[in-house]
Amino acid sequence: MTTAHELHAQGLREHLAPALRALGLAGRLRTFDLPDDTHWLLIGLVERPAADRVAFTFGLGLVRRSDWALTAAPGDRPDPRVRYGFEVWRARIGEVLPIGEDVWWEVLPGPRWQLPLDDAVAAVRDYALPELRRRAAADRAPGGGPYLSPAELEDVNAALLTASVARVQRAELADGELVLTGAWTRGDGVARIVLAGAAQGFLSAGDERFKSVSCVDTLGRALWTFP
């Protein structure tokens, strides 16, 4: 009988890596990057082997090519699983999924053994790649980029939790607007009301870098804008 370790290796080689390359990623079996002129947009496989199984997830990273060129030998590629200290951004894929926390997949013997691989590819396609592209574009844009760190959002998220509204996953500046991202839906009236109050709190600070606050879901789709 084929073991979980054998299925894991086969799945990476015959299914996961080809599927990631079909999405436009280049690289080897465990480290990939998305072509970009100014940044390394990185996705790396992180594995957690056990005696009878191998769990895996993805590490994501964004590195400016200009920063990498200062320290790397010609032809070297950054590894998203390594902490260099000059990354623009790094995270596990679970942080950009609607669940907002660490996610691991496992390939186990049985007729449906490919399903975790399909799910992992879908997570890269629908969440990791859009997030990497968005962050690279924000880093290129003057006046763009992060506005508050997750720690600085704690008070806002505590208030949202009290109202049973999903947390703000990130707050960033883009073209004179403060963009809040979270696992909200357009039909959630409670979320709209509570976020409108949060937006007024941000606007009352009088920060000249933005004149409005917009809310988008985890796929970047516009939900509400508060002037």
Side-chain angles (χ1 to χ4, degrees):
M1 179 178 176
T2 305
T3 68
H5 282 255
E6 291 169 335
L7 280 178
H8 176 78
Q10 178 185 343
L12 298 189
R13 183 177 63 253
E14 299 180 3
H15 188 78
L16 187 66
L20 294 182
R21 294 189 189 102
L23 295 176
L25 289 156
R28 299 175 292 276
L29 191 61
R30 288 174 170 79
T31 59
F32 298 86
D33 64 89
L34 193 67
D36 186 86
D37 290 339
T38 59
H39 292 73
W40 290 99
L41 281 63
L42 305 165
I43 295 180
L45 192 73
V46 180
E47 294 162 300
R48 189 167 61 188
D52 61 343
R53 64 191 61 203
V54 181
F56 71 94
T57 190
F58 296 103
L60 313 178
L62 184 67
V63 175
R64 297 187 187 99
R65 288 183 177 268
S66 57
D67 292 340
W68 179 248
L70 294 175
T71 60
D76 281 356
R77 306 158 69 95
D79 187 329
R81 300 168 299 179
V82 176
R83 183 178 295 277
Y84 297 104
F86 51 76
E87 299 93 339
V88 176
W89 174 73
R90 60 181 288 128
R92 288 280 180 83
I93 193 170
E95 295 177 41
V96 305
L97 299 178
I99 192 173
E101 57 189 45
D102 219 8
V103 172
W104 293 80
W105 292 272
E106 292 182 349
V107 177
L108 299 173
R112 298 163 66 85
W113 70 272
Q114 287 191 1
L115 288 182
L117 297 167
D118 293 336
D119 187 53
V121 171
V124 170
R125 181 190 64 232
D126 296 337
Y127 295 96
L129 293 183
E131 180 69 10
L132 285 165
R133 291 189 180 103
R134 187 193 62 77
R135 286 186 176 270
D139 193 55
R140 284 190 288 264
Y147 181 69
L148 295 175
S149 69
E152 292 169 324
L153 284 168
E154 283 185 0
D155 289 343
V156 175
N157 282 331
L160 296 181
L161 180 63
T162 300
S164 299
V165 173
R167 66 188 178 89
V168 178
Q169 294 184 6
R170 58 179 178 268
E172 296 181 309
L173 297 172
D175 299 324
E177 188 171 57
L178 178 61
V179 182
L180 308 179
T181 299
W184 313 303
T185 60
R186 185 177 294 277
D188 190 340
V190 173
R192 186 185 187 284
I193 293 171
V194 174
L195 288 166
Q200 290 305 312
F202 285 119
L203 291 168
S204 67
D207 193 318
E208 296 182 355
R209 291 175 294 175
F210 62 92
K211 302 299 181 185
S212 62
V213 177
S214 68
C215 298
V216 302
D217 66 15
T218 54
L219 290 177
R221 296 174 296 202
L223 299 175
W224 313 290
T225 298
F226 306 106

